[in-house]
């Protein structure tokens, strides 16, 4: 169960309300582990925006590494709803309700792109260490 610390605002609700369920159809191919319908009770996340640091991309990558497909699906959906083509890099880092454009890894569009690409199976697997080794997740 992911809950914000006491007294901390939970602004990043992943676009759902408590008790909502994941979509009945997966966004992945029929052969993937996520292909079967999954229901998950959504809880407030202590995150804002789409980035790795305090954002939905961080939730996505952690959920994928933990094998929690329903949470990963919610996080990926949240990221895609936050894409804004009018932003310089497509995704803004949000901290304390302030949006900034950054191209970086933790608080920028590069980290978002890596998490989405990894989730979509677009990154090579035959590497000595995967990209998220920097986050101590691999």
């Amino acid at each position: 169960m992911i809950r914000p610390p006491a007294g901390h605002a939970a602004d990043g609700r992943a676009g759902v309300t408590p008790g909502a369920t994941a979509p009945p159809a997966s966004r992945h191919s029929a052969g993937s582990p996520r292909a079967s319908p999954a229901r998950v009770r959504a809880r407030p996340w202590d995150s804002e925006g789409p980035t790795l640091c305090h954002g939905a991309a961080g939730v996505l990558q952690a959920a994928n590494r933990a094998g929690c497909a329903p949470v990963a699906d919610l996080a990926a959906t949240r990221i895609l709803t936050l894409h804004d083509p009018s932003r310089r890099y497509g995704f803004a880092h949000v901290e304390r309700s302030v949006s900034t454009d950054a191209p970086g890894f933790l608080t920028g569009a590069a980290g978002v792109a890596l998490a989405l690409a990894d989730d979509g199976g677009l990154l090579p697997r035959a590497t000595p260490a995967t990209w998220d080794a920097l986050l101590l997740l691999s």
Side-chain angles (χ1 to χ4, degrees):
M1 183 179 333
I2 301 172
R3 293 188 183 176
H8 193 295
D11 295 335
R13 289 187 174 262
V16 296
T17 57
T21 59
S26 175
R27 59 188 166 74
H28 292 275
S29 67
S32 80
R34 291 191 206 175
S36 63
R39 296 175 64 87
V40 63
R41 293 188 62 80
R43 302 225 191 298
W45 298 342
D46 184 20
S47 67
E48 287 186 285
T51 58
L52 284 172
C53 187
H54 305 289
V59 174
L60 172 62
Q61 195 62 23
N64 276 332
R65 284 297 181 173
C68 190
V71 173
D73 282 339
L74 287 171
T77 299
R78 175 68 175 151
I79 293 168
L80 295 176
T81 64
L82 292 171
H83 179 258
D84 182 354
S86 71
R87 303 297 303 208
R88 185 170 185 183
Y89 303 108
F91 294 99
H93 174 64
V94 183
E95 187 171 356
R96 296 186 178 133
S97 301
V98 176
S99 298
T100 55
D101 290 315
F105 176 65
L106 287 176
T107 60
V112 176
L114 283 168
L116 287 172
D118 197 15
D119 183 60
L122 301 175
L123 300 180
R125 298 287 178 216
T127 58
T130 58
W131 74 268
D132 65 351
L134 293 169
L135 302 171
L136 303 178
L137 288 174
S138 61

